[in-house]
Amino acid sequence: MPKKSLGQNFLVDRRVLERIVAAAELDRETAVLEIGPGVGALTEFLARAAGKVVAVELDRRLLPVLAETLAPYPHVHVVHGDFLELDLPAFFAEHFAGWTKRAVVANLPYYVTTPILFKLIEARDEVPLCVLMVQKEVAARLAAQPGTKDYGALTIAVQFYAEVDYVMTVPKHAFVPRPQVDSAVVRIRRRPAPLAAVPDERLFFRVVRAAFSQRRKTILNNLAHNLEKGGSRAAARALLEASGIDPARRAETLSIAEFARLTQRLHEWTTR
């Protein structure tokens, strides 16, 4: 029985499962980490394509089901635990030592999608490729381009470090029980280096968060009220103009390169 408190909706559509595995570009040289295998439907498809699969499952009730379902696959290992509590570098060192090709594949519970995404981005050196099932609206935000309604701080946080491809939309009837919303599959591939050079990544993301603090306001208003240093309207205007950015623009129209330029100017001003 799916547990509502854990956001369990089990994927049962074979065609969708095949598309997910294809998107992950698996072969016998690849080791896969699966987050939340549920009853093991996706895990079986991963096991047939990959050289090793380690699945982390929080719900202890599902462990006997997984043990039975995955018995024919000796290269699959199920770990009972909370993915968000894992020390990922240590986990990969323990379970994936010697495997240079790695992927994370998961049907993420909606209620923990964002913290899982950020944990994967933080461990990007361990995780070069992720194929994730998420809520359709989240997928749109991850793959969004500047100037669109879906483009925001989450977009930049992921695209700064990775390329995002929108793979497919997944309808409600592909799951048991049916969720309230449609889902989508995205592929997140780590970039060799961040998309833009910045003097301080923490400062860069502080600028991004400040710029998007109130989407309906101009970037001038948001920076003036949400940056701790130089947070006056005149200082914010001078900063934007020095960066070649019209103060009347809204944050969703700025590219990552423009946010990087803005961060560079702010860094220069605050370290004089």
Side-chain angles (χ1 to χ4, degrees):
M1 180 70 180
K3 198 168 185 179
K4 189 174 182 180
S5 65
L6 296 181
Q8 290 173 337
N9 299 95
F10 301 138
L11 181 62
V12 295
D13 189 308
R14 182 183 183 89
R15 291 170 299 177
V16 176
L17 292 166
E18 290 172 343
R19 288 281 300 277
I20 291 172
V21 172
E25 303 168 351
L26 303 179
D27 57 31
R28 290 299 179 183
E29 303 301 314
T30 306
V32 178
L33 168 61
E34 184 185 9
I35 304 166
V39 295
L42 176 58
T43 319
E44 279 200 87
F45 279 78
L46 296 173
R48 294 168 192 159
K52 181 175 184 177
V53 180
V54 179
V56 178
E57 177 53 58
L58 177 59
D59 190 350
R60 187 181 295 277
R61 302 173 310 153
L62 297 176
L63 300 184
V65 178
L66 288 167
E68 181 178 349
T69 300
L70 302 173
Y73 307 103
H75 59 301
V76 176
H77 179 52
V78 178
V79 175
H80 176 240
D82 184 347
F83 174 78
L84 289 174
E85 297 298 322
L86 295 181
D87 178 336
L88 278 189
F91 185 87
F92 273 90
E94 177 183 355
H95 294 282
F96 296 99
W99 292 85
T100 56
K101 294 180 67 176
R102 302 171 177 180
V104 173
V105 182
N107 170 23
L108 297 183
Y110 294 156
Y111 77 104
V112 286
T113 294
T114 299
I116 288 176
L117 281 169
F118 281 113
K119 189 175 181 74
L120 290 172
I121 289 294
E122 288 173 3
R124 58 191 175 276
D125 289 342
E126 308 291 343
V127 185
L129 179 69
C130 301
V131 176
L132 307 174
M133 176 92 70
V134 297
Q135 189 173 337
K136 184 179 178 182
E137 287 75 9
V138 174
R141 290 166 61 196
L142 293 174
Q145 295 299 310
T148 64
K149 65 180 180 62
D150 294 311
Y151 183 78
L154 178 62
T155 314
I156 295 172
V158 175
Q159 291 188 18
F160 185 75
Y161 296 111
E163 297 176 0
V164 181
D165 297 313
Y166 189 105
V167 176
M168 66 180 299
T169 300
V170 182
K172 304 177 187 70
H173 60 71
F175 300 88
V176 174
R178 291 190 180 193
Q180 297 297 311
V181 296
D182 286 336
S183 302
V185 178
V186 291
R187 178 170 52 215
I188 303 173
R189 193 188 307 273
R190 183 189 66 203
R191 299 182 189 277
L195 186 57
V198 295
D200 181 336
E201 290 185 5
R202 292 179 65 183
L203 179 62
F204 172 79
F205 288 112
R206 186 161 66 84
V207 169
V208 170
R209 287 193 300 271
F212 281 100
S213 56
Q214 296 188 62
R215 290 186 66 96
R216 300 184 66 141
K217 290 193 173 184
T218 65
I219 191 169
L220 171 63
N221 284 331
N222 281 336
L223 292 184
H225 291 96
N226 293 283
L227 281 178
E228 293 106 8
K229 292 186 178 180
S232 72
R233 189 176 181 85
R237 180 181 294 278
L239 174 63
L240 288 163
E241 290 176 347
S243 305
I245 297 170
D246 183 348
R249 290 171 63 184
R250 289 190 169 88
E252 63 265 26
T253 70
L254 270 65
S255 68
I256 289 177
E258 288 176 307
F259 274 112
R261 196 161 68 239
L262 186 59
T263 303
Q264 179 65 45
R265 291 290 176 268
L266 180 60
H267 181 264
E268 291 170 358
W269 287 17
T270 55
T271 55
R272 286 174 180 172

